[in-house]
Amino acid sequence: MNAPLRRAEIDLDAYRANLDLVRDWMDPVEVMAIMKADAYGHGLEPIALAAVDAGIRWIGVLTVPAALRLRAIGVGEDVHLFTWQHDPALDFRDAIDSAVDLGVSNAAELQRVIDAVDQRPARVHLGVDSGLHRDGATADAWPELVSLAVAAQRAGRIVVVAAYTHLAETSDDDDSAAVAVFDRAVETAEDLGLDVPMEHVAASLAGLERKEFRKDMVRMGGNLFGIPGADGVSAADLGLEPVMTLTASVAKTKRVPVDTGVSYDYTYRTATETTLALVPVGYADGVPRLAQGRVEVAIGGKRYPIAGRVAMDQFLVDVGDDEVQVGDTVVLFGTGERDELTVLEWAAALDTIGEEIVCRIGSRVPRVYEGHDVEGRVGEYLRGEP
Ligand SMILES: *Cc1c(COP(=O)(O)O)cnc(C)c1O
């Protein structure tokens, strides 16, 4: 079988190993596996099925349509699907009927949820804005949201599952102040007659570093993909494995003379007669134009810099007199086993975070799944079996 010209290899065994490790660390605190943005670019359905097979009971997917995609492939209601960013025009009926958990940020949004309730009560998580100023109710708006929730719960229209917030991860002091804001909001809610059954505030970084923030559940995204939050700890130090390896096949090679201008604008000129190898991955696939001069790719266990501009669909490397052939595997980033850089090294070189690199891998890069799960439910899903 021919490998696709470019591909993102997704190691589901690595994902599961990370999941096991993280659940071990957090035990007895519950772990919600965060899979927004198509599971950080790794592909929502296969990652979710692997996580469910591993016994995960909470998945965070950001939006209702993503949650419904998972219900549609058989992720049952014993797995809670948390969503928290809602289209203002969304009709919540399908979400409620499919027992999708809804994070709500304000009274107007909660009212829309309540209005959509038909047979069964809506499962609601009340969001607190503790300082990030994205989702959640500010201290001023919180009592109104809580009072509406109390009334709707008494009327049997909703079930309040949890209160939650998300932290800015600016500094320990800022996060402590944010959690104090959250704790005060929970007290206010209790004063207003709400029983708060569950609290969740921490994501990967705070979940690891601030034990006291774990509360009842941590929401883990990056760690599970082998991309720990910053703070100088490497994935390997933590025992986390990279899940995505980005590879391509050399599509063309050509011999060129000394002083040949390469790619748009001739920003690179050959120093000698040499061989150029064409790597069919470009900025449309998520390799930033900025990568020129900042990252190297591995071919046959040897590193080569990107020669000249990264184009939409391809870039070139100058392989000198090395025996590089059409069809040879080029590893852009991965585990490091084939002498390639890791995604965290890419992120450092490109002044960003690993999450941005993996999320930007474009839709024309097929995700190729590997690992034991491919023999099970994930394989059936990929083959289109019911
Ligand atoms: C993205 C996100 C997470 C997961 O963050 P990581 O740092 O990747 O673990 C958790 N909660 C919310 C609300 C998020 O938006």
Side-chain angles (χ1 to χ4, degrees), residues 4 60 99 130 145 182 234:
S130 60
L145 175 61
F182 175 79
S234 76

Side-chain angles (χ1 to χ4, degrees), residues 32-36 40 60 62 82 84 132 134-135 164-167 169 200-207 218-225 227-229 353 355:
M32 178 189 290
I34 299 292
M35 302 184 192
K36 58 195 181 184
Y40 293 47
L62 189 71
F82 178 56
W84 64 97
L132 191 60
R134 251 162 47 170
D135 306 325
Y164 77 101
T165 192
H166 193 51
L167 304 176
E169 299 180 346
H200 50 103
V201 308
S204 283
L205 187 62
V218 292
R219 301 183 306 263
M220 287 277 171
N223 281 332
L224 301 180
F225 298 101
I227 303 170
I353 55 176
E355 287 90 331

Side-chain angles (χ1 to χ4, degrees), residues 146-222:
V146 170
S147 300
L148 182 59
V150 169
Q153 181 154 260
R154 288 205 182 115
R157 316 267 305 165
I158 69 168
V159 173
V160 175
V161 178
Y164 77 101
T165 192
H166 193 51
L167 304 176
E169 299 180 346
T170 304
S171 69
D172 275 358
D173 285 348
D174 287 301
D175 284 350
S176 296
V179 174
V181 169
F182 175 79
D183 289 342
R184 263 196 311 280
V186 171
E187 277 167 35
T188 303
E190 280 164 355
D191 291 345
L192 290 168
L194 186 74
D195 175 36
V196 177
M198 198 176 192
E199 299 172 28
H200 50 103
V201 308
S204 283
L205 187 62
L208 274 191
E209 296 187 352
R210 301 293 297 271
K211 227 174 166 167
E212 70 277 25
F213 294 171
R214 290 179 188 171
K215 306 279 185 184
D216 301 301
M217 180 158 65
V218 292
R219 301 183 306 263
M220 287 277 171

Side-chain angles (χ1 to χ4, degrees), residues 226-255:
I227 303 170
D231 282 23
V233 207
S234 76
D237 288 345
L238 292 166
L240 296 169
E241 300 174 31
V243 177
M244 182 189 290
T245 296
L246 183 63
T247 66
S249 301
V250 171
K252 293 185 182 97
T253 59
K254 64 185 56 153
R255 204 65 193 163

